[in-house]
Amino acid sequence: MGPHREDLALAVACDTVAAARSATGVAVVFAVTDDARAGGALAALGAVVVGGEPGTGLNPALAHGAAVARARRPDLGVCALSADLPALRPEELDRVLAAAGAHGRSFLPDAPGVGTTLFAASVGHPFTPAFEGASRARHLSVGARELDVPGTASVRRDVDTPQDLRAAVELGVGPRTRELWDRLGPRSRFEEGCCAEGVR
């Protein structure tokens, strides 16, 4: 595990949140984390930081955040977005959210087509995320609609490996990730693990 792992995870999460906050289809960004450093950085970007994670994994944490979001804005649908999308473009996220609005529950598969980067539930529909691992198949099995939205590579390009990070850089990452990428040498880049494990 590389010495810059935590810095990289936070840079990626901050670039993801900043891009999401710039999307016109996003009313509020909630970030579920009990990490004080991450919480402070994300709050500074305008995210509403939700603490009190259940401590039983990613999906319960996302459900906890969604419950807080729905209590605050019951008039809106909710969407869980991976925190490791450093190349995220607001206009591409807007297109995905517009497509999601036509369905009760929907999801966007990741670039390899195995995992998931986004899960959405419209008003009145249950929020049942099944992230991690082969989550595309699990989301399909619970009846969520798979979204196929052309021109949204940045929303599908999450970062689990150094090779994923290079692919994201080729798409064009946000300024925080770019600064750290440029500061790391080629060898260090591929010693790092990724990514935003402390932020949901």
Side-chain angles (χ1 to χ4, degrees), residues 42-124:
L42 298 174
L45 293 171
V48 176
V49 176
V50 178
E53 286 191 64
T56 50
L58 174 60
N59 292 304
L62 293 174
H64 171 60
V68 172
R70 282 184 153 168
R72 183 172 295 201
R73 292 298 304 268
D75 56 316
L76 298 177
V78 291
C79 169
L81 183 68
S82 295
D84 58 348
L85 300 171
L88 183 64
R89 292 177 171 81
E91 64 275 13
E92 293 186 12
L93 178 57
D94 278 331
R95 290 201 291 274
V96 174
L97 293 175
H103 308 285
R105 291 179 302 162
S106 58
F107 71 96
L108 187 73
D110 63 8
V114 176
T116 303
T117 60
L118 178 149
F119 177 82
S122 299
V123 175

Side-chain angles (χ1 to χ4, degrees), residues 118-132:
L118 178 149
F119 177 82
S122 299
V123 175
H125 293 268
F127 182 78
T128 56
F131 283 85
E132 296 187 304

